[in-house]
Amino acid sequence: LRLVGWVANSTQIDMPHEADNIDTLSRRIVAPCLGHVPRFSRPRAEEAAARLDGRLLSAILGVSPPA
């Protein structure tokens, strides 16, 4: 099984050292980060999807990028 991408998720609204944590993960995980989904007060799939890099995900999956 090959990891082709990952998504940073914040578990707290004001997560301490959030940027440092994401930076460290980006340097240590070989696969690209597809986006960062912050904690939403009322989570919705559309909001989370909007935080992902659609072009990168399309390239990985070998499909046409979203319009």
Side-chain angles (χ1 to χ4, degrees), residues 7-27:
V7 176
N9 295 284
S10 296
T11 58
Q12 302 170 10
I13 292 174
D14 292 320
M15 188 172 150
H17 310 289
E18 177 178 71
D20 292 334
N21 289 337
I22 294 171
D23 182 57
T24 297
L25 289 170
S26 293
R27 285 185 280 113

Side-chain angles (χ1 to χ4, degrees), residues 26-49:
S26 293
R27 285 185 280 113
R28 292 184 179 205
I29 298 174
V30 177
C33 179
L34 301 173
H36 171 220
V37 178
R39 181 176 176 87
F40 296 118
S41 57
R42 293 179 183 229
R44 293 185 347 189
E46 296 83 12
E47 286 181 283

